[in-house]
Amino acid sequence: GEALLASDNGQPPTTAQVNGLTPDGSYYVTAILVDDRDNRSPVKVAAFTTPDNTVPAFTSGYPVMTKTSVDLAQVTVMTNKSCRLYYAVLPQGSTAPKPEDFKANAITGNLGYGTRDEIKNSTDPFKVNSLPLEEQKTYDLYLWLTDYDGAKSSAVRKISFTTVDGTPPIFVTDPTP
């Protein structure tokens, strides 16, 4: 980056070039002004963070469905940066939502929809269905990540999952004594 220091005595401003900063890094800049008589100003310190220009993405091994019952479809996610996650559960074969559908809350026929604030490199298990699902039926979970300012976004990602058979077994004939 580049810093510009204004001059009070009619001299052109002074510029300082800073290199080697990392994205999403936290830094401090310290300055002391010295005049021609060697008088020094108080130390001024300013903190700043460089922008994280990476595209939000899921880290390796994520997302993963961690529960798939009729009452609880749960996904666990981990992202490469802090960002907003949108999700929607739809019947298998439904038209995939677009990013603008997520932002407008315009996903008709969903069986679960919402947004979550994700923290970089933290696992987050959460329930994705708001309505009961059917046993042994396949559903599509759509996930989309976007920066808080909307500058960078992932592609919409689909995970298909099938709910488990939750019916307890029964004897079809009486057991023999």
Side-chain angles (χ1 to χ4, degrees), residues 10-32:
Q11 298 295 320
T14 302
T15 303
Q17 183 74 29
V18 179
N19 296 313
L21 302 180
T22 59
D24 197 31
S26 294
Y27 298 94
Y28 294 96
V29 63
T30 306
I32 299 174

Side-chain angles (χ1 to χ4, degrees), residues 12-165:
T14 302
T15 303
Q17 183 74 29
V18 179
N19 296 313
L21 302 180
T22 59
D24 197 31
S26 294
Y27 298 94
Y28 294 96
V29 63
T30 306
I32 299 174
L33 302 177
V34 181
D35 67 14
D36 291 337
R37 294 175 296 188
D38 205 31
N39 293 321
R40 297 175 183 270
S41 70
V43 175
K44 294 290 183 180
V45 178
F48 67 97
T49 303
T50 54
D52 185 348
N53 294 324
T54 58
V55 174
F58 293 105
T59 57
S60 181
Y62 294 93
V64 62
M65 294 302 296
T66 44
K67 296 197 186 316
T68 55
S69 71
V70 294
D71 296 321
L72 176 61
Q74 178 180 289
V75 68
T76 300
V77 300
M78 183 188 294
T79 57
N80 67 336
K81 68 186 294 187
S82 295
C83 60
R84 176 153 295 130
L85 174 134
Y86 289 80
Y87 66 91
V89 177
L90 293 167
Q92 183 181 32
S94 297
T95 302
K98 295 178 176 65
E100 50 272 17
D101 299 329
F102 281 111
K103 288 194 285 188
N105 191 14
I107 302 174
T108 56
N110 75 73
L111 303 165
Y113 168 85
T115 64
R116 296 184 68 83
D117 290 332
E118 296 303 325
I119 299 171
K120 177 181 180 175
N121 294 330
S122 298
T123 57
D124 181 22
F126 60 94
K127 181 178 181 177
V128 294
N129 63 307
S130 55
L131 299 172
L133 305 175
E134 294 179 40
E135 282 185 16
Q136 296 182 295
K137 187 168 179 181
T138 301
Y139 296 90
D140 294 330
L141 170 62
Y142 292 94
L143 303 162
W144 180 59
L145 302 173
T146 186
D147 282 341
Y148 291 112
D149 64 3
K152 304 231 182 241
S153 298
S154 71
V156 174
R157 180 142 174 207
K158 177 175 94 169
I159 300 176
S160 295
F161 68 94
T162 303
T163 53
V164 296
D165 178 359

